Amino acid sequence: MPVITNSMTTFVARFTIMNDLLAARSQMALSLGFHIIYACIGMVMPFFMAVSHYQWIKTNKDVYKNLTKAWSKGVAIFFATGAVSGTVLSFELGLLWPAFMKHAGPIFGMPFSLEGTAFFIEAIALGFFLYGWDKFNKWFHWFTGVVVGISGLASGILVVSANAWMNAPTGFDFVNGEYLNIDPIAAMFNDAWFSQSLHMSLAAFAATGFAVAGVHAIMILQKKNILFHSKAFKIAAIFGTVAAVLQPISGDFSAKDVARRQPAKLAAMEAHFHTQESAPLIVGGIPDMDKKEVNYAIKLPGMLSFLAHGDFNSEVKGLEEIPEEDQPPVAVVHYAFQIMVGCGIIMMLISMAFFVALLKKKWFYGTWLLKLFALALPLGFLAVEAGWTVTEVGRQPWIIQGVMRTVDAVTPMPGIAWSFYLFTLVYVMLSVAVIFLLHRQIQMVPVLYDKGPGVSQE
Amino acid sequence: MMAYVVITYLYLAILLYLVLGGADFGAGIIEMFTAQNNISRTRKTLYHAIGPIWEANHMWLIIVIVILFVAFPLIYSQLSIYLHVPLVIMLMGIIARGTAFVFRHYDAVHDEMQQLYNRVFVWSSFVTPFFLGVIAGSTISGHINLKATTYLDTYIYSWLNWFSLAVGLFTVALCGFLASIYLIGEADNQNDRLRFIRKAKQMTIFSVTAGALVFVSAVIDGVPLVQWVFADRVGLAAVIAATASLVILWILIDTHHIMIPRLLAGFQVTMILLAISYAHFPNFVILAPNGTFSLLDDIAPESTVVALGWALLLGSIFILPALFYLYYSFKKKVPEPLQP
């Protein structure tokens, strides 16, 4: 059985030749994939800061003030990068998909306009928070930090609702190629908005929590500014682990929802080729598109039927029932789904270990646990990127599920490959810059935020 | 009825972006024209003035874009096709500027990296408003050709013409002008104040010259700007008002007044925008060889416009007071009496 399959060769060939549609999809994917990291951090870290800030006001211990200020420097950097990449996305919707926006704009515009309001409030609150340290009443200042978090979370939920509409298009009648009787409120509260928003919100908390906890865990293991990094670790880890154990429940809810609304996506996620009752859950494996089977996989009998419909004996639609021109790319969606679930399960297990250690009050001294968190640092964000790949690639060939195909939405402008290369270059440079700055921030902790090595600041 | 609410917000957002975001861009433009020995004082004053409000200032652009793609999707999608190139260049500028500005302030270490941040900040402060102006000019220059057949005609000459380029330069000048007036009131010593006043006078001359170039280029490119401004009652009134306020500004600039010159500068820019837009309203985009996209005709269905209108109105109730409070909280405290 050759490991390099036809589909893999085609995949590589398509990338190097790069037609306009593929370039547009790649550029959009890159922009979204880049932005989501900064959006998650911007959405979640204000809550971490609100906790440490609150601790400082209540206990007057300097370590909490220093932590809040140190975190806010990092957050400002991520915020700016998130804001500019978000601005780019709002233009890219039109630059890459003008035919889509011409019709979809008026339908799913409601969440976007509300998102604009939320952003604006967030930007204003951020101004107050970052620059108002000794200018306002302590509690008002703290409150502006909380507002940053809440409006950030709200804008995330709103923009995900807009994406949910693409998966569950409602609020209009599609008659003879025309979009009539538009109901913007119905469109906003589409069938998928709740499951997607819940899953993304938890994902943001889990990913940011684990990443931030991982950074501080590494610092503790290197025995630098232990008290400072321990306080930081605890706050981030608690947020991250609670989200990580709730996430599989949300995932189950989402899977059942997708099974009902987008059976092609579920079939691709699972590489489920043939319709059957008591369908097995396939873990791992390499799908063979020609033979329509999955090799080297672990098959859990009946589990797919249970996951999709809550009944071990229920029938799960296979890809064979979906016309080939309506099928998403199976391999990409399947691998992405396995990566996402795999990361999620590892994070869930680490979280459970963390809870046990917390109960036993031995967490600080367990280097094994800190090492786990250090290793798990990127897992949450890996899961986020994989998850978005599942939902976006899994929706192909549709840009609006069942209504508009991606190929019909793309810009007529030729040479989009060049635009893709340009944006790739820019995002790579930005990523390097951000990592460089973050590295310097962390290096400067002993100088700027926690003077006196090893001295207790209680 | 709600259509007019939405259209008002569109123009308001454009104006506010020009005045507030424009002053922001202008800060970088002024840095570009500041001598080396003064530059760190200028930067310090600039950062102190802009720091808390820059993120909020640039939100108006998002509001403009959202209003366009929700209520005027045909205009949004068509401009996104024909003006793809200047839009991408402008986006590069926005990315560079936003990140350079924050990175240079928040880098924990202050070393030679600062020079890189500064250079990126200054150049992007020029490029972004230039191409915003090019895009704005291109909407009304009548070069966007829906029936163009060649790549050049469709995607390049739609924006690469004398008029659009002149509007780009004029936008840069206006941004520098706005920032320089604003900066005068932020100076905390007499030396800086005099320097900033000199800068403001230079920027005013730059703006007037660039404005004249816009008219010249309009004649060259066959854009009926002269008619729009001088043959229309409102356009003419706006131009006269702008000129009058410029004269008053020039007189008051050397005095101790801070608020009045700022208000006059804002008023001037408002009049300029009014003069250039009123005569061809409701036509937002003017196409080649004739044809238009109209804000009243090419608008989304009523349900969408009503929902958007309410969202904007209700959003304003939260945002505008908060925004005013932000500006108020961070403006310079009681201006000290300046020694002669």
Side-chain angles (χ1 to χ4, degrees), chain A residues 61-85:
Chain A
K61 290 182 185 160
D62 272 346
V63 65
Y64 287 116
K65 180 181 188 182
N66 293 332
L67 177 58
T68 310
K69 284 194 157 177
W71 266 345
S72 60
K73 295 281 166 71
V75 168
I77 292 170
F78 279 93
F79 221 91
T81 316
V84 299
S85 51

Side-chain angles (χ1 to χ4, degrees), chain B residues 65 131 154 210 245 334 338:
Chain B
I65 291 303
F131 278 95
T154 317
S245 84
V334 184
L338 291 161

Side-chain angles (χ1 to χ4, degrees), chain A residues 326-402:
Chain A
D326 292 348
Q327 287 183 20
V330 176
V332 171
V333 178
H334 179 70
Y335 294 138
F337 183 64
Q338 304 300 308
I339 291 172
M340 178 189 77
V341 173
C343 290
I345 290 178
I346 296 172
M347 288 163 72
M348 182 181 75
L349 293 171
I350 295 178
S351 302
M352 288 167 159
F354 177 71
F355 294 147
V356 168
L358 255 187
L359 283 167
K360 291 190 172 175
K361 294 195 195 303
K362 279 187 166 187
W363 65 277
F364 182 78
Y365 305 101
T367 17
W368 60 274
L369 188 64
L370 290 171
K371 281 185 184 155
L372 273 180
F373 271 97
L375 288 169
L377 193 163
L379 290 183
F381 280 108
L382 190 56
V384 164
E385 301 288 358
W388 274 102
T389 306
V390 170
T391 192
E392 290 291 283
V393 180
R395 193 191 55 237
Q396 304 302 321
W398 303 104
I399 189 168
I400 306 175
Q401 177 76 34

Side-chain angles (χ1 to χ4, degrees), chain A residues 290-311:
Chain A
D290 303 314
K291 292 214 182 116
K292 306 267 186 271
E293 56 191 33
V294 188
N295 302 302
Y296 315 117
I298 302 169
K299 299 187 185 176
L300 304 172
M303 283 303 292
L304 181 60
S305 292
F306 181 71
L307 185 74
H309 303 298
D311 176 1

Side-chain angles (χ1 to χ4, degrees), chain A residues 15-200:
Chain A
F15 235 94
T16 42
I17 299 167
M18 192 62 83
N19 67 46
D20 284 328
L21 176 61
L22 190 62
R25 283 177 60 198
S26 305
Q27 186 182 319
M28 200 70 192
L30 179 73
S31 303
L32 288 164
F34 181 84
H35 177 67
I36 195 94
I37 298 173
Y38 300 90
C40 284
I41 294 172
M43 269 167 68
V44 169
M45 285 215 64
F47 290 103
F48 297 359
M49 282 156 41
V51 170
S52 66
H53 194 172
Y54 179 85
Q55 293 285 57
W56 173 58
I57 298 180
K58 274 280 159 165
T59 67
N60 219 26
K61 290 182 185 160
D62 272 346
V63 65
Y64 287 116
K65 180 181 188 182
N66 293 332
L67 177 58
T68 310
K69 284 194 157 177
W71 266 345
S72 60
K73 295 281 166 71
V75 168
I77 292 170
F78 279 93
F79 221 91
T81 316
V84 299
S85 51
T87 306
V88 168
L89 280 167
S90 62
F91 282 89
E92 267 178 333
L93 287 172
L95 289 170
L96 298 175
W97 314 106
F100 166 69
M101 288 308 284
K102 191 164 81 167
H103 298 294
I107 306 175
F108 75 170
M110 203 62 223
F112 278 110
S113 36
L114 292 173
E115 190 205 7
T117 308
F119 268 157
F120 218 141
I121 294 172
E122 193 180 9
I124 294 170
L126 190 71
F128 276 115
F129 180 72
L130 288 178
Y131 295 87
W133 266 97
D134 297 300
K135 284 177 79 89
F136 302 102
N137 167 279
K138 275 184 182 171
W139 286 112
F140 173 76
H141 182 237
W142 174 81
F143 179 66
T144 61
V146 173
V147 171
V148 176
I150 294 175
S151 46
L153 190 58
S155 61
I157 291 172
L158 287 161
V159 78
V160 167
S161 301
N163 176 270
W165 176 82
M166 293 162 74
N167 290 314
T170 35
F172 65 101
D173 297 321
F174 188 56
V175 177
N176 288 331
E178 297 215 352
Y179 298 76
L180 307 171
N181 306 325
I182 295 177
D183 181 352
I185 308 293
M188 183 161 72
F189 292 111
N190 56 73
D191 282 343
W193 88 269
F194 183 72
S195 61
Q196 283 196 214
S197 298
L198 178 67
H199 203 59
M200 184 62 221

